[in-house]
Amino acid sequence: QKEVEQDPGPLSVPEGAIVSLNCTYSNSAFQYFMWYRQYSRKGPELLMYTYSSGNKEDGRFTAQVDKSSKYISLFIRDSQPSDSATYLCAMSAVRLGRGSTLGRLYFGRGTQLTVWP
Amino acid sequence: DGGITQSPKYLFRKEGQNVTLSCEQNLNHDAMYWYRQDPGQGLRLIYYSQIVNDFQKGDIAEGYSVSREKKESFPLTVTSAQKNPTAFYLCASSMGSGVTSTDTQYFGPGTRLTVL
């Protein structure tokens, strides 16, 4: 079983729809959770970052973490064609110091999203 | 203008040749990483370095080598021993200072390597 599972899609929605992207994970030590957006043939860019459980909102984007279920979500409200990209979830464990899990991120496979006008 | 640069953007290599991919950052980050991305496979960690003159193997280090002689530079060499090197290669960096770092990684624009 992979550390992080993410449905690769593809996901296709009309403009204005609410999009829900999800990841599950198996390692209960994960504490830091991130969502990256990657446009075609570009490097990923950090979209959202959350620590431990809870919600975080930034404009049209909301990140949710449910550590009891080992489940994280990214919601996009009022989706736009410019949101069309691949969305990657990533997570890391509590920092235990140099030589252990320091700096190590575990990525999902990414979900390809298309928002059509 | 801070950030991470990778060069070249596109690279073509003949079988049996070694090639070196460049990664430079001016973010004053301690930690740097190399990933490989294949279609539908997400990011796989090749090597990472938490400090100058030190680096660790990731999940798929075979056929690759790195060096970290300067804080801002982390070149990746794809050797002829790498069986299937055609892929999109991404370099990243993070603060990794051991004080307030969140392990958040920032990525370069990538290098697309094609073996002919």
Side-chain angles (χ1 to χ4, degrees), chain B residues 11 15 18-19 21 23 33 45 48 69 79 83 92 97-98 100:
Chain B
L11 185 58
E15 280 196 40
N18 293 356
V19 288
L21 282 57
C23 178
Y33 314 82
L45 183 64
Y48 65 105
E69 297 176 1
T79 75
K83 298 275 188 273
S97 65
T100 61

Side-chain angles (χ1 to χ4, degrees), chain B:
Chain B
D1 191 19
I4 303 174
T5 57
Q6 290 185 243
S7 61
K9 188 173 181 179
Y10 298 97
L11 185 58
F12 297 89
R13 187 195 94 172
K14 292 182 181 178
E15 280 196 40
Q17 287 182 336
N18 293 356
V19 288
T20 298
L21 282 57
S22 169
C23 178
E24 304 277 330
Q25 54 97 2
N26 60 5
L27 300 168
N28 200 33
H29 284 173
D30 288 312
M32 297 186 74
Y33 314 82
W34 273 105
Y35 293 90
R36 170 182 171 139
Q37 187 174 36
D38 296 280
Q41 293 231 25
L43 300 179
R44 292 187 288 169
L45 183 64
I46 305 173
Y47 268 98
Y48 65 105
S49 168
Q50 299 171 4
I51 196 169
V52 174
N53 292 323
D54 190 20
F55 47 83
Q56 288 80 40
K57 292 181 179 180
D59 299 324
I60 54 165
E62 185 175 349
Y64 299 98
S65 66
V66 293
S67 62
R68 187 84 187 277
E69 297 176 1
K70 298 187 296 182
K71 185 176 183 179
E72 56 272 17
S73 178
F74 191 40
L76 173 75
T77 296
V78 184
T79 75
S80 56
Q82 169 49 234
K83 298 275 188 273
N84 185 20
T86 294
F88 189 46
Y89 290 86
L90 287 159
C91 178
S93 69
S94 66
M95 283 196 291
S97 65
V99 178
T100 61
S101 170
T102 63
D103 295 329
T104 302
Q105 294 181 16
Y106 297 89
F107 286 83
T111 292
R112 188 164 299 277
L113 172 64
T114 303
V115 174
L116 303 173

